[in-house]
Amino acid sequence: MPKHSTQADTVIVLDFETTGLSPDMGDRAIEIGAVLIEQGEITASFQELMNPGMKVSAFIEDYTGITNTMLRDAAPCEDVMERFSDFIAGHNLVAHNASFDKRFLDAEFARMSCAYSGDFACSLLAARRIFQNAPNHQLGTLVKYTNIPSVGSFHRALYDAEMTAKLWMAMLENIGERYGLFDLSFSLIQKLSKVPKKSVHAFLEKC
DNA sequence: TGCCAGGCCCTCTTTAGGGCCTT
């Protein structure tokens, strides 16, 4: 879908579980989870395990709870990513530490000559500016810090995507209440995420 | 043989180093 047709009032929040940290070093995706936010509510979701064609390490099995046995019968990455491409078509994208998920999305899509039209925003960069007093900016810490109810398992793709989506909405609400901004655009949060921390207040005052 | 990420961001900075965050 051409870039100019990206829907401005919706966003997809996504999270990858992977075999490691770097697609450039041969790491692959093993699970994708995502939710669609429309008008402040989660209205759709996507979750699939995928077979990376290699064994995952004991560390990854322990870290994610995703075992080699679970992946043995999963669909190949290419099949899952083709379905995921349809799910995200036309939407802007959000992830916690988006540079990580963007690298894997780009790498998996590059293997199948697939592209996407949306822009990325990073909930980690935004949270570092909006919640400057949080103990740290790991997803789990921010979920507790913002009193988001949490009853699932972190480090599974759909749950992390859901928690990131709720964090994203909490950040929009926080800015809205503090600065009287109730028509926050995706691009404004992108710009906020590049503002020096000490200039965040002045930036939002001008909006 | 041994090693292996990358981007952001702060500071004791910019001719650099190291912590944070993601799996």
Side-chain angles (χ1 to χ4, degrees):
Chain A
M1 187 175 287
K3 201 159 192 166
H4 65 265
S5 66
T6 298
Q7 297 179 45
D9 58 342
T10 68
V11 65
I12 295 274
V13 184
L14 64 93
D15 182 72
F16 277 105
E17 304 305 319
T18 70
T19 63
L21 293 172
S22 174
D24 290 340
M25 300 293 289
D27 287 316
R28 299 293 304 272
I30 59 173
E31 187 182 45
I32 179 67
V35 297
L36 172 65
I37 300 177
E38 293 181 297
Q39 297 179 333
E41 292 187 6
I42 294 174
T43 58
S45 65
F46 184 103
Q47 179 185 33
E48 283 202 50
L49 291 170
M50 55 189 117
N51 188 331
M54 58 198 282
K55 294 267 188 184
V56 301
S57 67
F59 170 80
I60 293 297
E61 284 189 316
D62 186 56
Y63 186 79
T64 64
I66 299 170
T67 65
N68 284 297
T69 302
M70 294 164 67
L71 295 173
R72 189 174 54 205
D73 298 324
C77 294
E78 290 75 12
D79 293 358
V80 174
M81 294 308 297
E82 187 171 348
R83 289 190 282 274
F84 188 61
S85 173
D86 291 337
F87 184 73
I88 67 174
H91 298 291
N92 284 321
L93 307 169
V94 169
H96 201 66
N97 199 9
S99 66
F100 174 86
D101 293 278
K102 184 178 187 301
R103 279 199 303 278
F104 276 94
L105 183 66
D106 290 348
E108 293 297 341
F109 274 2
R111 287 172 172 267
M112 43 193 287
S113 300
C114 191
Y116 58 96
S117 62
D119 284 331
F120 260 98
C122 178
S123 57
L124 168 64
L125 297 182
R128 280 177 173 162
R129 287 157 177 80
I130 296 168
F131 300 127
Q132 297 192 18
N133 294 325
N136 60 58
H137 296 86
Q138 296 172 21
L139 179 59
T141 301
L142 289 167
V143 165
K144 281 185 185 174
Y145 185 75
T146 53
N147 297 314
I148 294 170
S150 171
V151 293
S153 299
F154 282 104
H155 308 306
R156 286 301 300 268
L158 181 58
Y159 190 73
D160 281 4
E162 288 174 346
M163 291 297 101
T164 302
K166 289 180 179 178
L167 173 64
W168 179 258
M169 290 188 280
M171 289 193 289
L172 297 184
E173 184 178 349
N174 181 283
I175 296 173
E177 289 179 351
R178 285 163 60 191
Y179 295 95
L181 301 171
F182 298 105
D183 189 22
L184 291 161
S185 68
F186 181 85
S187 62
L188 185 141
I189 304 299
Q190 281 182 312
K191 289 176 186 173
L192 172 67
S193 298
K194 295 177 183 175
V195 170
K197 279 186 183 178
K198 59 186 177 183
S199 304
V200 167
H201 178 69
F203 173 83
L204 289 170
E205 283 284 333
K206 288 180 182 176
C207 292

